[in-house]
Amino acid sequence: MTIDRRVMLATMASLAAGFGPFANALPKAVWPTKTVKFIVGAAAGGSASDAATRFFANQIAERSKQPVVVDNRPGADGNLAAEVVARSAPDGHTFLVTGNNTHAANVHLYKSMSFDPEKDFAPVTTYARVPYVLLINGNRLAARTLKDFIAHARANPGKLTYASAAVASRVGVEQLKLTAKFDAVNVAYKSGAQAMTDLLGGHVDFYIADAVNALQQVQAGRAIALGVTVAERLPAAPDLPTIAESGFPDFDFASWLAVWTSAGTPPELVLAASTAINDAMGSPAGKQFLEKQGLLPYPGSPEALRTLQQRETLRWGQAIKAAQMVAN
C-alpha cells in the first residue's frame, strides 16, 4: 500500500501557497481564546499520535499563553475519540488527533459507526507520516534478516503469531503476508503498549510497530528490527534496511496523522489552528522532534486533508478487502 505521492505534492504546494484563495478570503482569527482540547484516539505513551500531540500542544500553549489539554480516549480503533469530537461544540477549541483509522479505514471495518467521517468533521491539517518497523522477539525466532524470517514463515505456515494494536499495524502485516506469500496468526490488542509488552514477553513472534516505539525497543536491545515499511530509510535509523530493498521492491507502507474538528466550525478558526500546528511542526524544534521520533514531515492544509481523506478511504478499503479483514 503506497501513499499517493501526488497527494503529498499537492499538499506541499497548497501549504507553500498559504492555503491559496481560501486563506485570503478569510478574516484573521484570534485563536485560541480559551482552553484547547486535543482528543487522541490512542493511549498515553503508546503511540506516535500521542507523542506528537503532546509536542505541538506544548508549542501552542507556549505561544498562545492559553491552556492546552491532551485527552486520551483509546478504544475501537479511534472511534471513541472521534465520537467525542463529532459531538463537541463547533467553536474551534476541541480537536481530534488521529489518522487513517477513523477517517479512511474504519468505515470498511465497522458495520456501523456513531459518526460520519466526512459530514461530522472539518479537516484541519496533516502533520506526519508514520513509518513502521518489523520487529521480532529474538528469543522466539532465530532469524536476523528479513530473508531468513520470510523463509522461516513460509516453512511454518500458520504457526507464527503476530500482534496488532490498530488498523495500520494489522493491515501492514497483512500486506506483507500477501507480498511475501506466507501465513501467520493475528493476536489483537487494545493498545500498542500491550502489544509491545507481549512481543517483548515472548507471547507473540512479531509485530509491525510504529517507529516511535519500535526504535526505542531496538535501541534498548529488547527487540530485533528486520526492516522499515516505507520505501526510504529512516533518518533515525539509517542502518536499518527497508523491506523494499530486502527483496520486495514494491512494498511501501505507511499511515498518516492528522487533525480534525467538528463540522460547522468557522473556517477562520480552522485555518488558525491549521497554521499553528504547521508552524509548530515546521519549526527547528518540530523538525528535530519528528526526526528523533522516526516520523516523516507531512504538512498540509484543510483542503489537502479533505482530498487525502477521500482518496485514502478508497485505498484503505481496497487493502482491507484484499486482506479479508472482517467488519465488526
Side-chain angles (χ1 to χ4, degrees):
M1 184 173 151
T2 305
I3 296 293
D4 195 326
R5 299 187 184 278
R6 292 175 298 177
V7 175
M8 172 77 81
L9 293 174
T11 300
M12 296 293 289
S14 178
L15 180 67
F19 304 136
F22 173 78
N24 296 331
L26 294 174
K28 187 174 181 179
V30 176
W31 180 92
T33 58
K34 61 180 182 179
T35 299
V36 176
K37 273 190 176 184
F38 287 109
I39 312 296
V40 183
S47 69
S49 58
D50 177 69
T53 303
R54 292 180 186 279
F55 174 83
F56 65 68
N58 288 336
Q59 294 283 308
I60 292 172
E62 289 177 7
R63 299 178 189 193
S64 69
K65 309 304 180 186
Q66 292 287 348
V68 181
V69 176
V70 177
D71 184 356
N72 295 85
R73 301 289 184 100
D77 294 316
N79 285 353
L80 299 181
E83 183 178 5
V84 171
V85 177
R87 306 293 175 252
S88 67
D91 61 3
H93 287 79
T94 301
F95 298 89
L96 172 68
V97 185
T98 180
N100 39 268
N101 52 346
T102 60
H103 283 68
N106 286 0
V107 69
H108 305 289
L109 290 171
Y110 286 80
K111 295 178 180 178
S112 64
M113 297 194 298
S114 61
F115 60 88
D116 186 305
E118 288 199 35
K119 295 179 181 178
D120 292 338
F121 296 88
V124 178
T125 184
T126 50
Y127 63 90
R129 287 180 69 207
V130 184
Y132 292 82
V133 175
L134 173 60
L135 298 179
I136 64 167
N137 182 300
N139 294 323
R140 286 177 64 101
L141 298 176
R144 293 298 181 265
T145 66
L146 181 67
K147 180 179 178 181
D148 289 343
F149 169 78
I150 297 299
H152 179 75
R154 288 173 175 170
N156 296 275
K159 294 183 179 180
L160 270 62
T161 56
Y162 70 93
S164 68
V167 176
S169 65
R170 172 80 186 275
V171 172
V173 173
E174 294 295 340
Q175 288 290 293
L176 181 61
K177 286 167 55 181
L178 289 170
T179 301
K181 296 180 173 58
F182 71 92
D183 194 19
V185 178
N186 175 53
V187 180
Y189 294 88
K190 291 183 178 180
S191 73
Q194 292 174 340
M196 187 67 77
T197 295
D198 267 17
L199 174 75
L200 302 180
H203 300 291
V204 292
D205 295 302
F206 67 103
Y207 177 33
I208 283 187
D210 65 72
V212 176
N213 292 298
L215 296 181
Q216 290 176 353
Q217 303 304 331
V218 172
Q219 291 162 2
R222 291 189 286 263
I224 295 172
L226 298 184
V228 179
T229 63
V230 291
E232 64 275 13
R233 292 195 182 195
L234 301 179
D239 296 330
L240 182 61
T242 67
I243 291 174
E245 66 185 287
S246 299
F248 303 96
D250 294 329
F251 195 87
D252 183 8
F253 175 83
S255 60
W256 41 268
L257 297 174
V259 182
W260 286 263
T261 190
S262 54
T265 298
E268 62 270 21
L269 297 181
V270 172
L271 183 59
S274 181
T275 301
I277 294 169
N278 277 297
D279 285 350
M281 302 312 288
S283 67
K287 293 176 182 177
Q288 184 179 30
F289 168 84
L290 291 171
E291 181 174 336
K292 184 178 180 181
Q293 296 295 323
L295 297 171
L296 305 176
Y298 199 8
S301 68
E303 297 91 337
L305 175 54
R306 186 183 301 279
T307 298
L308 176 69
Q309 178 181 342
Q310 292 170 346
R311 293 187 182 184
E312 287 289 273
T313 297
L314 295 175
R315 189 182 301 275
W316 280 76
Q318 293 169 349
I320 288 167
K321 183 178 180 180
Q324 298 182 330
M325 294 169 65
V326 179
N328 293 318

Coordinates of all heavy atoms in Angstrom, one line a residue, residues 174-264:
E174 N -0.7 -7.7 7.1 CA -1.5 -8.4 6.0 C -0.9 -8.1 4.6 O -0.9 -9.0 3.7 CB -3.0 -8.0 6.1 CG -3.7 -8.5 7.4 CD -3.8 -10.0 7.5 OE1 -3.7 -10.7 6.4 OE2 -4.0 -10.5 8.6
Q175 N -0.5 -6.9 4.4 CA 0.1 -6.5 3.1 C 1.4 -7.3 3.0 O 1.7 -7.8 1.9 CB 0.4 -5.0 3.1 CG -0.9 -4.2 2.9 CD -1.5 -4.4 1.5 OE1 -0.9 -4.0 0.5 NE2 -2.7 -5.0 1.5
L176 N 2.2 -7.4 4.0 CA 3.5 -8.2 3.9 C 3.2 -9.6 3.7 O 3.9 -10.3 2.9 CB 4.3 -8.0 5.2 CG 5.6 -8.7 5.3 CD1 6.6 -8.2 4.2 CD2 6.3 -8.5 6.6
K177 N 2.2 -10.2 4.3 CA 1.9 -11.6 4.1 C 1.5 -11.8 2.6 O 1.9 -12.8 2.0 CB 0.7 -12.0 5.0 CG 1.0 -12.2 6.4 CD -0.2 -12.3 7.3 CE -1.2 -13.4 6.9 NZ -2.4 -13.4 7.7
L178 N 0.7 -10.9 2.1 CA 0.3 -11.1 0.7 C 1.5 -10.9 -0.3 O 1.6 -11.6 -1.3 CB -0.8 -10.0 0.3 CG -2.1 -10.2 0.9 CD1 -3.0 -9.0 0.7 CD2 -2.8 -11.5 0.3
T179 N 2.4 -9.9 0.0 CA 3.5 -9.7 -0.8 C 4.5 -10.8 -0.8 O 5.1 -11.2 -1.8 CB 4.2 -8.3 -0.4 OG1 3.2 -7.3 -0.5 CG2 5.4 -8.0 -1.3
A180 N 4.8 -11.3 0.5 CA 5.9 -12.3 0.7 C 5.4 -13.7 0.6 O 6.1 -14.6 0.7 CB 6.6 -12.0 2.0
K181 N 4.0 -13.8 0.5 CA 3.4 -15.1 0.4 C 3.7 -16.1 1.6 O 4.3 -17.1 1.4 CB 3.8 -15.8 -0.9 CG 3.3 -15.0 -2.2 CD 3.8 -15.7 -3.4 CE 3.1 -15.0 -4.6 NZ 3.5 -13.5 -4.7
F182 N 3.3 -15.7 2.7 CA 3.4 -16.5 3.9 C 2.1 -16.3 4.8 O 1.3 -15.4 4.5 CB 4.6 -16.3 4.7 CG 4.7 -15.0 5.5 CD1 4.2 -14.9 6.8 CD2 5.2 -13.8 4.9 CE1 4.2 -13.7 7.5 CE2 5.2 -12.6 5.6 CZ 4.7 -12.5 6.9
D183 N 1.9 -17.2 5.8 CA 0.7 -17.1 6.6 C 1.2 -17.0 8.1 O 2.2 -17.5 8.5 CB -0.2 -18.3 6.4 CG -1.6 -18.1 7.0 OD1 -1.9 -16.9 7.2 OD2 -2.3 -19.1 7.2
A184 N 0.4 -16.3 8.9 CA 0.6 -16.1 10.3 C -0.7 -15.8 11.0 O -1.7 -15.4 10.3 CB 1.7 -15.1 10.6
V185 N -0.8 -16.0 12.3 CA -2.0 -15.8 13.0 C -2.0 -14.5 13.8 O -1.0 -14.2 14.5 CB -2.2 -17.0 14.0 CG1 -3.5 -16.7 14.8 CG2 -2.2 -18.3 13.3
N186 N -3.1 -13.7 13.6 CA -3.2 -12.4 14.3 C -3.6 -12.6 15.7 O -4.5 -13.3 16.0 CB -4.2 -11.5 13.5 CG -4.4 -10.2 14.2 OD1 -3.5 -9.5 14.6 ND2 -5.6 -9.9 14.5
V187 N -3.0 -11.8 16.6 CA -3.4 -11.7 18.0 C -3.7 -10.2 18.3 O -2.7 -9.4 18.2 CB -2.3 -12.2 19.0 CG1 -2.8 -12.0 20.4 CG2 -1.9 -13.6 18.7
A188 N -4.9 -9.8 18.5 CA -5.3 -8.4 18.6 C -5.2 -7.9 20.0 O -5.5 -8.6 21.0 CB -6.7 -8.2 18.1
Y189 N -4.7 -6.6 20.1 CA -4.6 -5.9 21.4 C -5.3 -4.6 21.4 O -5.5 -4.0 20.3 CB -3.1 -5.7 21.8 CG -2.4 -7.0 22.0 CD1 -1.8 -7.7 20.9 CD2 -2.3 -7.6 23.3 CE1 -1.1 -8.9 21.1 CE2 -1.6 -8.7 23.5 CZ -1.0 -9.4 22.4 OH -0.4 -10.6 22.6
K190 N -5.7 -4.1 22.5 CA -6.4 -2.8 22.6 C -5.4 -1.6 22.5 O -5.9 -0.5 22.2 CB -7.1 -2.7 23.9 CG -8.3 -3.7 24.0 CD -9.1 -3.5 25.3 CE -10.3 -4.4 25.3 NZ -11.1 -4.3 26.5
S191 N -4.1 -1.8 22.7 CA -3.2 -0.7 22.7 C -1.9 -1.1 22.2 O -1.5 -2.3 22.3 CB -3.1 0.0 24.0 OG -2.3 -0.8 24.9
G192 N -1.1 -0.2 21.7 CA 0.3 -0.5 21.2 C 1.2 -0.9 22.4 O 2.0 -1.8 22.2
A193 N 0.9 -0.3 23.5 CA 1.7 -0.7 24.7 C 1.5 -2.2 25.1 O 2.5 -2.9 25.4 CB 1.4 0.2 25.9
Q194 N 0.3 -2.6 25.0 CA 0.0 -4.0 25.4 C 0.6 -5.0 24.3 O 1.2 -6.0 24.7 CB -1.5 -4.3 25.4 CG -2.2 -3.5 26.6 CD -3.7 -3.7 26.5 OE1 -4.3 -3.9 25.5 NE2 -4.4 -3.5 27.7
A195 N 0.5 -4.6 23.1 CA 1.1 -5.4 22.0 C 2.6 -5.5 22.2 O 3.2 -6.6 22.0 CB 0.7 -4.8 20.6
M196 N 3.3 -4.4 22.4 CA 4.7 -4.4 22.6 C 5.1 -5.2 23.8 O 6.1 -6.0 23.8 CB 5.2 -3.0 22.7 CG 6.7 -2.9 22.7 SD 7.5 -3.4 21.2 CE 7.2 -1.9 20.2
T197 N 4.4 -5.1 24.9 CA 4.7 -5.9 26.1 C 4.6 -7.4 25.8 O 5.5 -8.1 26.3 CB 3.7 -5.5 27.2 OG1 3.8 -4.2 27.6 CG2 3.9 -6.4 28.5
D198 N 3.6 -7.8 25.1 CA 3.6 -9.2 24.8 C 4.6 -9.7 23.8 O 5.1 -10.9 23.8 CB 2.2 -9.6 24.3 CG 1.3 -10.1 25.5 OD1 1.6 -9.8 26.6 OD2 0.2 -10.7 25.2
L199 N 5.0 -8.8 22.9 CA 6.1 -9.2 22.0 C 7.4 -9.4 22.8 O 8.1 -10.4 22.7 CB 6.3 -8.1 20.9 CG 7.6 -8.3 20.1 CD1 7.3 -9.4 19.0 CD2 8.0 -7.1 19.4
L200 N 7.7 -8.4 23.7 CA 8.9 -8.5 24.5 C 8.9 -9.6 25.5 O 9.9 -10.2 25.8 CB 9.1 -7.1 25.2 CG 9.2 -5.9 24.3 CD1 9.4 -4.7 25.2 CD2 10.3 -6.0 23.3
G201 N 7.6 -10.0 25.9 CA 7.5 -11.0 26.9 C 7.5 -12.4 26.2 O 7.4 -13.4 27.0
G202 N 7.6 -12.5 24.9 CA 7.6 -13.8 24.2 C 6.3 -14.5 24.0 O 6.3 -15.7 23.8
H203 N 5.2 -13.7 24.0 CA 3.9 -14.3 23.8 C 3.5 -14.3 22.4 O 2.6 -15.0 22.0 CB 2.9 -13.5 24.7 CG 3.1 -13.6 26.1 ND1 3.0 -14.7 26.9 CD2 3.6 -12.6 27.0 CE1 3.4 -14.4 28.1 NE2 3.7 -13.2 28.2
V204 N 4.2 -13.5 21.5 CA 3.9 -13.5 20.1 C 5.3 -13.4 19.4 O 6.3 -13.0 20.0 CB 3.0 -12.3 19.6 CG1 1.6 -12.4 20.1 CG2 3.6 -10.9 20.0
D205 N 5.3 -13.7 18.1 CA 6.6 -13.8 17.4 C 7.0 -12.5 16.8 O 8.2 -12.2 16.8 CB 6.5 -14.8 16.3 CG 6.3 -16.2 16.8 OD1 7.1 -16.7 17.6 OD2 5.2 -16.9 16.4
F206 N 6.1 -11.7 16.2 CA 6.5 -10.5 15.6 C 5.4 -9.4 15.6 O 4.2 -9.7 16.0 CB 6.9 -10.7 14.1 CG 5.9 -11.2 13.2 CD1 5.3 -10.3 12.2 CD2 5.5 -12.5 13.1 CE1 4.4 -10.7 11.3 CE2 4.5 -13.0 12.2 CZ 4.0 -12.1 11.3
Y207 N 5.8 -8.2 15.2 CA 4.9 -7.1 15.4 C 5.4 -6.0 14.5 O 6.6 -5.7 14.5 CB 4.9 -6.6 16.8 CG 4.0 -5.4 17.2 CD1 2.9 -5.1 16.6 CD2 4.5 -4.5 18.2 CE1 2.1 -3.9 16.9 CE2 3.8 -3.4 18.6 CZ 2.6 -3.1 17.9 OH 1.9 -2.0 18.3
I208 N 4.5 -5.4 13.7 CA 4.8 -4.2 12.9 C 4.4 -3.0 13.7 O 3.2 -2.8 13.9 CB 4.2 -4.2 11.5 CG1 5.0 -5.2 10.6 CG2 4.2 -2.8 10.9 CD1 4.5 -5.1 9.1
A209 N 5.3 -2.3 14.3 CA 5.1 -1.2 15.3 C 5.5 0.1 14.7 O 6.4 0.1 13.8 CB 5.8 -1.5 16.6
D210 N 4.8 1.2 15.1 CA 5.2 2.5 14.6 C 6.7 2.7 15.1 O 7.1 2.3 16.1 CB 4.3 3.6 15.1 CG 4.3 3.8 16.6 OD1 5.3 4.3 17.1 OD2 3.3 3.4 17.2
A211 N 7.4 3.5 14.3 CA 8.8 3.7 14.5 C 9.1 4.3 15.8 O 10.2 4.1 16.4 CB 9.5 4.5 13.4
V212 N 8.2 5.2 16.3 CA 8.4 5.8 17.6 C 8.7 4.8 18.7 O 9.7 4.9 19.4 CB 7.2 6.6 18.0 CG1 7.3 7.2 19.4 CG2 6.9 7.7 17.1
N213 N 7.9 3.8 18.8 CA 8.1 2.8 19.9 C 9.0 1.7 19.5 O 9.8 1.1 20.3 CB 6.7 2.2 20.2 CG 5.8 3.2 20.9 OD1 6.1 3.6 22.0 ND2 4.7 3.5 20.3
A214 N 9.0 1.3 18.2 CA 9.9 0.2 17.7 C 11.4 0.6 18.0 O 12.1 -0.3 18.5 CB 9.7 0.0 16.2
L215 N 11.8 1.8 17.6 CA 13.2 2.1 17.7 C 13.7 2.2 19.2 O 14.8 1.9 19.5 CB 13.5 3.4 17.0 CG 13.3 3.4 15.5 CD1 13.6 4.7 14.8 CD2 14.1 2.3 14.8
Q216 N 12.8 2.6 20.0 CA 13.1 2.6 21.5 C 13.5 1.2 22.0 O 14.4 1.0 22.7 CB 11.9 3.2 22.3 CG 11.7 4.6 22.1 CD 10.5 5.1 22.8 OE1 9.7 4.4 23.4 NE2 10.2 6.4 22.8
Q217 N 12.7 0.2 21.5 CA 12.9 -1.1 22.0 C 14.2 -1.7 21.3 O 14.9 -2.5 22.0 CB 11.7 -2.0 21.7 CG 10.4 -1.5 22.3 CD 10.4 -1.3 23.8 OE1 11.2 -2.0 24.5 NE2 9.7 -0.4 24.3
V218 N 14.4 -1.4 20.1 CA 15.6 -1.9 19.4 C 16.8 -1.3 20.0 O 17.8 -2.0 20.3 CB 15.5 -1.5 17.9 CG1 16.8 -1.9 17.2 CG2 14.4 -2.3 17.2
Q219 N 16.8 0.0 20.3 CA 18.0 0.6 20.9 C 18.3 0.1 22.3 O 19.4 0.1 22.7 CB 17.8 2.2 20.9 CG 17.8 2.8 19.5 CD 17.2 4.2 19.5 OE1 16.7 4.7 20.5 NE2 17.1 4.7 18.3
A220 N 17.2 -0.3 23.0 CA 17.4 -0.9 24.3 C 17.8 -2.3 24.3 O 18.0 -2.9 25.4 CB 16.1 -0.7 25.1
G221 N 17.8 -2.9 23.1 CA 18.2 -4.3 23.0 C 17.1 -5.3 23.4 O 17.4 -6.5 23.6
R222 N 15.9 -4.8 23.4 CA 14.8 -5.7 23.8 C 14.1 -6.4 22.6 O 13.3 -7.3 22.8 CB 13.8 -5.0 24.7 CG 14.3 -4.5 26.0 CD 13.3 -4.0 26.9 NE 12.9 -2.6 26.5 CZ 13.4 -1.5 27.1 NH1 14.3 -1.6 28.0 NH2 13.0 -0.3 26.7
A223 N 14.3 -5.9 21.4 CA 13.6 -6.5 20.2 C 14.6 -6.3 19.1 O 15.5 -5.5 19.1 CB 12.3 -5.7 19.9
I224 N 14.4 -7.1 18.0 CA 15.2 -7.1 16.8 C 14.4 -6.5 15.7 O 13.3 -7.0 15.4 CB 15.7 -8.5 16.5 CG1 16.7 -8.9 17.7 CG2 16.5 -8.5 15.2 CD1 17.1 -10.4 17.6
A225 N 15.0 -5.6 15.0 CA 14.3 -5.0 13.8 C 14.8 -5.6 12.5 O 16.0 -5.8 12.3 CB 14.6 -3.5 13.8
L226 N 13.9 -6.0 11.6 CA 14.2 -6.6 10.4 C 14.0 -5.7 9.2 O 14.6 -6.0 8.1 CB 13.4 -7.9 10.2 CG 13.6 -9.0 11.2 CD1 12.8 -10.2 10.9 CD2 15.1 -9.3 11.4
G227 N 13.2 -4.7 9.3 CA 13.0 -3.8 8.1 C 12.1 -2.7 8.4 O 11.2 -2.7 9.3
V228 N 12.2 -1.6 7.6 CA 11.3 -0.5 7.6 C 10.3 -0.6 6.5 O 10.6 -1.0 5.4 CB 12.1 0.8 7.4 CG1 11.2 2.1 7.4 CG2 13.2 1.0 8.5
T229 N 9.1 -0.2 6.8 CA 8.0 -0.5 5.9 C 7.9 0.5 4.7 O 7.3 0.3 3.7 CB 6.6 -0.5 6.6 OG1 6.4 0.8 7.1 CG2 6.6 -1.6 7.6
V230 N 8.5 1.7 4.9 CA 8.4 2.7 3.8 C 9.6 2.5 2.9 O 10.5 1.8 3.1 CB 8.4 4.2 4.4 CG1 7.1 4.5 5.1 CG2 9.6 4.4 5.3
A231 N 9.5 3.2 1.7 CA 10.5 3.0 0.7 C 11.9 3.6 0.9 O 12.9 3.1 0.3 CB 10.0 3.5 -0.7
E232 N 11.9 4.5 1.9 CA 13.2 5.2 2.2 C 13.7 4.8 3.6 O 12.8 4.6 4.5 CB 13.1 6.7 2.0 CG 12.2 7.4 3.0 CD 10.7 7.4 2.5 OE1 10.4 6.7 1.6 OE2 9.9 8.2 3.1
R233 N 15.0 4.8 3.8 CA 15.5 4.5 5.2 C 15.1 5.7 6.1 O 15.0 6.9 5.6 CB 17.0 4.3 5.1 CG 17.3 3.0 4.5 CD 18.8 2.6 4.8 NE 19.1 1.3 4.1 CZ 20.2 0.6 4.4 NH1 21.0 1.0 5.4 NH2 20.5 -0.5 3.7
L234 N 15.0 5.4 7.4 CA 14.7 6.5 8.3 C 15.9 7.2 8.8 O 16.9 6.6 9.1 CB 14.0 5.9 9.5 CG 12.7 5.1 9.2 CD1 12.1 4.6 10.5 CD2 11.7 6.0 8.5
P235 N 15.9 8.6 8.9 CA 17.0 9.3 9.4 C 17.3 8.9 10.8 O 18.5 8.9 11.2 CB 16.5 10.8 9.4 CG 15.4 10.8 8.3 CD 14.8 9.4 8.4
A236 N 16.4 8.4 11.6 CA 16.6 8.0 13.0 C 17.3 6.6 13.0 O 17.8 6.2 14.1 CB 15.3 8.0 13.8
A237 N 17.2 5.9 11.9 CA 17.8 4.5 11.9 C 18.4 4.2 10.5 O 17.9 3.4 9.8 CB 16.8 3.5 12.3
P238 N 19.4 5.0 10.1 CA 20.0 4.9 8.8 C 20.5 3.5 8.4 O 20.7 3.2 7.2 CB 21.0 6.0 8.7 CG 21.4 6.2 10.2 CD 20.2 5.9 11.0
D239 N 20.9 2.7 9.4 CA 21.5 1.4 9.1 C 20.4 0.3 8.9 O 20.8 -0.8 8.6 CB 22.5 1.0 10.2 CG 23.7 2.0 10.2 OD1 24.1 2.5 9.2 OD2 24.2 2.2 11.4
L240 N 19.2 0.6 9.2 CA 18.1 -0.4 9.1 C 17.6 -0.4 7.7 O 17.0 0.6 7.2 CB 17.0 0.0 10.1 CG 15.8 -1.0 10.2 CD1 16.3 -2.4 10.6 CD2 14.8 -0.5 11.2
P241 N 17.7 -1.5 7.0 CA 17.2 -1.6 5.6 C 15.7 -1.5 5.5 O 15.0 -1.8 6.5 CB 17.8 -2.9 5.1 CG 17.9 -3.7 6.3 CD 18.3 -2.8 7.4
T242 N 15.2 -1.1 4.4 CA 13.8 -1.2 4.1 C 13.4 -2.6 3.7 O 14.2 -3.3 3.2 CB 13.4 -0.1 3.1 OG1 14.0 -0.6 1.8 CG2 13.9 1.3 3.4
I243 N 12.1 -2.8 3.8 CA 11.6 -4.1 3.3 C 11.7 -4.1 1.8 O 12.0 -5.2 1.2 CB 10.1 -4.3 3.7 CG1 10.1 -4.6 5.3 CG2 9.5 -5.5 3.0 CD1 8.7 -4.6 5.8
A244 N 11.6 -3.0 1.2 CA 11.6 -2.9 -0.3 C 13.0 -3.3 -0.8 O 13.1 -4.0 -1.8 CB 11.3 -1.4 -0.7
E245 N 14.1 -2.8 -0.1 CA 15.4 -3.2 -0.6 C 15.9 -4.5 -0.1 O 17.0 -5.0 -0.5 CB 16.4 -2.1 -0.1 CG 16.6 -2.0 1.4 CD 17.5 -0.8 1.8 OE1 18.8 -1.0 1.5 OE2 17.0 0.2 2.3
S246 N 15.0 -5.2 0.7 CA 15.4 -6.5 1.1 C 14.7 -7.6 0.4 O 14.6 -8.8 0.8 CB 15.0 -6.6 2.6 OG 15.7 -5.7 3.4
G247 N 14.3 -7.3 -0.8 CA 13.7 -8.3 -1.7 C 12.3 -8.1 -2.2 O 11.8 -8.9 -3.0
F248 N 11.7 -7.0 -1.7 CA 10.3 -6.8 -2.1 C 10.2 -5.3 -2.5 O 9.6 -4.4 -1.8 CB 9.3 -7.1 -0.9 CG 9.5 -8.5 -0.4 CD1 10.3 -8.8 0.7 CD2 8.8 -9.5 -1.1 CE1 10.5 -10.1 1.1 CE2 9.0 -10.8 -0.6 CZ 9.8 -11.1 0.5
P249 N 10.6 -5.0 -3.7 CA 10.8 -3.6 -4.2 C 9.5 -2.8 -4.3 O 9.6 -1.5 -4.2 CB 11.4 -3.8 -5.6 CG 11.1 -5.2 -6.0 CD 11.1 -6.0 -4.8
D250 N 8.4 -3.4 -4.3 CA 7.1 -2.6 -4.4 C 6.5 -2.4 -3.1 O 5.4 -1.7 -3.0 CB 6.1 -3.4 -5.3 CG 6.6 -3.5 -6.8 OD1 7.3 -2.5 -7.2 OD2 6.3 -4.5 -7.4
F251 N 7.1 -2.9 -2.0 CA 6.5 -2.7 -0.7 C 6.8 -1.3 -0.1 O 7.9 -0.9 0.0 CB 7.0 -3.8 0.3 CG 6.2 -3.9 1.5 CD1 5.1 -4.7 1.6 CD2 6.5 -3.1 2.7 CE1 4.3 -4.8 2.7 CE2 5.7 -3.3 3.8 CZ 4.6 -4.1 3.8
D252 N 5.7 -0.6 0.2 CA 5.8 0.8 0.7 C 4.6 1.1 1.5 O 3.5 1.4 0.9 CB 6.0 1.8 -0.5 CG 6.2 3.2 0.0 OD1 6.3 3.5 1.3 OD2 6.2 4.2 -0.8
F253 N 4.7 0.9 2.8 CA 3.5 1.0 3.7 C 3.7 2.1 4.8 O 4.8 2.1 5.4 CB 3.2 -0.3 4.3 CG 2.0 -0.2 5.3 CD1 0.7 -0.3 4.8 CD2 2.3 -0.1 6.6 CE1 -0.3 -0.2 5.7 CE2 1.2 -0.1 7.6 CZ -0.1 -0.1 7.1
A254 N 2.8 3.0 4.9 CA 2.8 4.0 6.0 C 1.4 4.4 6.3 O 0.5 4.3 5.4 CB 3.7 5.2 5.6
S255 N 1.2 4.9 7.5 CA 0.0 5.6 7.8 C 0.3 7.1 8.0 O 1.4 7.5 7.8 CB -0.7 5.0 9.0 OG 0.2 5.1 10.1
W256 N -0.8 7.9 8.2 CA -0.6 9.3 8.4 C -1.4 9.8 9.6 O -2.3 9.2 10.0 CB -0.9 10.1 7.1 CG -2.2 9.6 6.4 CD1 -2.3 8.6 5.4 CD2 -3.6 10.0 6.7 NE1 -3.6 8.4 5.1 CE2 -4.4 9.3 5.8 CE3 -4.1 10.9 7.6 CZ2 -5.8 9.4 5.8 CZ3 -5.5 11.1 7.5 CH2 -6.3 10.3 6.7
L257 N -0.9 10.9 10.1 CA -1.5 11.5 11.3 C -2.1 12.9 10.9 O -1.5 13.6 10.1 CB -0.5 11.7 12.4 CG 0.0 10.3 13.0 CD1 1.1 10.6 14.0 CD2 -1.1 9.5 13.6
A258 N -3.3 13.2 11.4 CA -3.9 14.4 11.0 C -4.8 14.9 12.2 O -5.0 14.3 13.2 CB -4.7 14.2 9.8
V259 N -5.4 16.1 12.0 CA -6.2 16.8 13.0 C -7.5 17.2 12.3 O -7.5 17.7 11.2 CB -5.5 18.0 13.6 CG1 -6.3 18.7 14.6 CG2 -4.1 17.6 14.1
W260 N -8.6 16.9 13.0 CA -9.9 17.4 12.6 C -10.6 18.1 13.8 O -10.2 18.0 14.9 CB -10.8 16.2 12.2 CG -10.5 15.5 10.9 CD1 -11.1 15.7 9.7 CD2 -9.6 14.5 10.7 NE1 -10.6 14.9 8.8 CE2 -9.6 14.1 9.4 CE3 -8.6 13.8 11.5 CZ2 -8.8 13.2 8.8 CZ3 -7.8 12.9 11.0 CH2 -7.9 12.5 9.6
T261 N -11.6 18.9 13.4 CA -12.5 19.5 14.5 C -13.9 19.2 14.0 O -14.2 18.6 13.0 CB -12.2 21.0 14.7 OG1 -12.9 21.4 15.8 CG2 -12.6 21.8 13.5
S262 N -14.9 19.6 14.8 CA -16.3 19.3 14.5 C -16.8 20.1 13.3 O -16.4 21.3 13.1 CB -17.2 19.5 15.7 OG -17.0 20.8 16.2
A263 N -17.7 19.5 12.6 CA -18.3 20.2 11.4 C -19.0 21.5 11.9 O -19.6 21.5 13.0 CB -19.3 19.3 10.7
G264 N -19.0 22.5 11.1 CA -19.6 23.7 11.4 C -18.7 24.7 12.1 O -19.1 25.9 12.3

